[in-house]
Amino acid sequence: MSGHSKWHTIKHKKGAADAKRGKIFTRIIKELTVAARAGGGDPDTNPRLRTIIAEAKSNNMPSDNIKRAIRRGTGEEPGVSYEEAQYEGYGPGGAAVIVDVLTDNKNRTVGEIRHMLTKYGGNLAETNAVAWMFSKKGYIVVPKSKASEDTLMGAVLDAGGEDLRDDDDNWEVLSAPEAFQAVLEAVKKLGIEPEAAEISMLPQNYLKLEGKAAQQMVKLMDALDDHDDVRHVWSNFDIEEKEIEASLA
């Protein structure tokens, strides 16, 4: 199982989906604002905005919230200006970590990310220190209960997908970033709402962690994921189920 999916499993076990609904809304509002500022407020001509609007609706965000966030991005309403940033570092045991953020204060955010990495036995690194260990891919997770392998594979390959991986209870659909939107739409045309869909940084190789390092890594990832400015965290760690259970105890 990949480190990316492993973290997805951990968050599910912790009941994060319900507990962090407020954070999900905060992140989506930031994403809407940034996407509208970068590509305009019309989802028909702004694929990035269209994708985020779909995510907002799937999380039952009120339409008024969506419209206000877009208007802030286009300058039609006053509001905070957010910037995108990406930080790289190492976690316990030398695991590579990439933290993707949307922030209104880069100095504050980088200081807080550095503090969390240090607290759990890691450290902040220079740009490109670990990014070379990852590949940027479109990443979609579909529960096996929602589609057969043949049906899903046929749809995603026709839309430009690169690979369909078996990850225990789920199918992982990979694509080039530029094909992500078309592949996502092909999945949805099957009547499937993916469990996850994003442009992701997938590790080329995985680092096995055990014992204290494994447990500290889970705590670090959870702390980073809880931060209001963090929208994605990626790492190349891989740990056994028993280490997940121990970290949650």
Side-chain angles (χ1 to χ4, degrees):
M1 180 183 290
S2 70
H4 186 98
S5 292
K6 183 75 76 174
W7 180 235
H8 178 80
T9 301
I10 293 167
K11 288 196 290 183
H12 180 72
K13 284 178 174 287
K14 293 173 68 63
D18 291 332
K20 297 177 183 174
R21 177 165 296 277
K23 190 203 168 184
I24 291 171
F25 277 17
T26 300
R27 176 184 61 77
I28 291 174
I29 286 170
K30 291 181 181 179
E31 296 261 15
L32 289 166
T33 301
V34 170
R37 186 181 67 193
D42 184 357
D44 290 335
T45 58
N46 187 340
R48 178 180 176 184
L49 181 62
R50 185 165 65 246
T51 299
I52 301 165
I53 289 173
E55 182 183 1
K57 290 179 177 177
S58 70
N59 280 281
N60 299 313
M61 178 177 283
S63 295
D64 285 347
N65 294 31
I66 296 172
K67 291 174 183 176
R68 279 198 299 271
I70 293 172
R71 286 199 295 267
R72 282 197 291 270
T74 57
E76 297 171 78
E77 284 194 18
V80 177
S81 178
Y82 297 105
E83 295 182 89
E84 298 175 274
Q86 196 169 89
Y87 304 114
E88 301 176 35
Y90 296 94
V97 179
I98 298 178
V99 186
D100 191 44
V101 307
L102 280 174
T103 177
D104 61 350
N105 187 327
K106 283 186 176 181
N107 289 334
R108 182 202 69 229
T109 300
V110 71
E112 292 170 351
I113 299 298
R114 180 186 291 111
H115 173 73
M116 280 186 279
L117 286 165
T118 302
K119 178 180 178 180
Y120 292 102
N123 62 276
L124 195 67
E126 297 295 326
T127 302
N128 294 324
V130 304
W132 62 271
M133 303 179 193
F134 296 76
S135 298
K136 191 173 185 179
K137 296 287 184 183
Y139 178 82
I140 300 170
V141 177
V142 175
K144 286 184 177 178
S145 60
K146 294 185 178 181
S148 69
E149 181 176 12
D150 289 344
T151 299
L152 187 60
M153 182 176 289
V156 300
L157 292 181
D158 287 345
E162 294 180 348
D163 196 10
L164 180 66
R165 297 180 180 177
D166 186 334
D167 184 32
D168 292 342
D169 296 330
N170 302 308
W171 301 116
E172 293 182 330
V173 180
L174 306 184
S175 69
E178 57 270 19
F180 170 73
Q181 188 63 39
V183 174
L184 178 58
E185 289 176 2
V187 170
K188 290 188 174 184
K189 282 181 181 178
L190 296 175
I192 297 169
E193 190 60 43
E195 200 159 290
E198 64 185 37
I199 302 296
S200 185
M201 298 292 286
L202 300 182
Q204 297 173 15
N205 295 289
Y206 300 97
L207 178 67
K208 184 80 169 186
L209 296 181
E210 298 178 327
K212 183 179 179 180
Q215 293 168 31
Q216 287 290 92
M217 189 67 202
V218 173
K219 291 176 181 177
L220 169 62
M221 293 290 283
D222 192 41
L224 289 168
D225 193 62
D226 270 341
H227 193 286
D228 284 342
D229 293 341
V230 173
R231 56 178 179 178
H232 299 298
V233 187
W234 300 295
S235 179
N236 65 344
F237 75 94
D238 189 21
I239 60 178
E240 297 292 340
E241 188 75 19
K242 64 181 180 180
E243 304 290 6
I244 298 175
E245 300 297 341
S247 68
L248 301 179

